[in-house]
Amino acid sequence: QKATDASGDRLKEASMINSSLLCLGQVINALVEKEQGKMKHVPFRESKLTFLLKDSWGGNSKTCLVATVTPSMTSLTETISTLKFAQRAKQIKNTAVLNEDTCGSIAALQAEISRLKSELESSTLVRLLPVSESND
């Protein structure tokens, strides 16, 4: 607050961002502990940020984190904090697996597509045919 002279809405926004980053740090710590074999609850629902990143950090994906630091001495504590955060995040190991269904051959899948297309065409034709009115 002193370094940025934030006040009002800016101060509130900065507070919310810091809260989300704190939750992200807790999630990363929990994932690292889980990686080390400890049974730990991962608090993904603590903030919107961690909820949105749930699939990236704890799911079936490859994730890249870019830690931005500065060589300035005035930001030394922030730089060290960022590097420690990146080091913890580096310890998370996700195993990304290609999501594909290999239960059918190409010929069987093409036959299924043809069958579904003909079924769709026949149902469309039935709806387009005029209904005959009977005059009794």
Side-chain angles (χ1 to χ4, degrees):
Q1 181 182 353
K2 291 178 183 178
T4 61
D5 290 330
S7 63
D9 287 342
R10 278 213 141 158
L11 181 60
K12 189 184 288 186
E13 181 182 6
S15 174
M16 297 293 282
I17 290 170
N18 285 338
S19 175
S20 291
L21 290 175
L22 176 68
C23 291
L24 181 60
Q26 292 171 346
V27 164
I28 288 176
N29 285 337
L31 287 170
V32 168
E33 288 179 12
K34 196 173 182 181
E35 189 71 32
Q36 294 170 349
K38 297 178 184 174
M39 293 304 291
K40 178 92 176 181
H41 168 70
V42 182
F44 283 114
R45 293 182 180 234
E46 295 291 320
S47 77
K48 291 179 183 178
L49 175 67
T50 55
F51 186 74
L52 290 173
L53 293 174
K54 180 180 180 180
D55 292 334
S56 297
W57 286 106
N60 182 25
S61 63
K62 291 186 178 181
T63 304
C64 179
L65 173 72
V66 177
T68 306
V69 296
T70 179
S72 172
M73 288 302 291
T74 58
S75 302
L76 182 64
T77 57
E78 291 178 12
T79 298
I80 291 172
S81 176
T82 301
L83 291 173
K84 286 180 180 178
F85 177 83
Q87 182 63 34
R88 284 192 319 257
K90 188 178 176 182
Q91 294 174 356
I92 299 172
K93 303 291 183 215
N94 282 353
T95 52
V97 178
L98 184 61
N99 295 332
E100 64 180 33
D101 185 15
T102 59
C103 65
S105 67
I106 294 175
L109 293 173
Q110 287 175 339
E112 177 73 11
I113 290 171
S114 298
R115 184 188 65 78
L116 290 171
K117 280 182 180 179
S118 65
E119 186 177 315
L120 180 64
E121 288 173 359
S122 66
S123 67
T124 305
L125 289 175
V126 169
R127 274 188 274 148
L128 292 177
L129 292 176
V131 177
S132 61
E133 296 179 17
S134 60
N135 293 333
D136 290 329

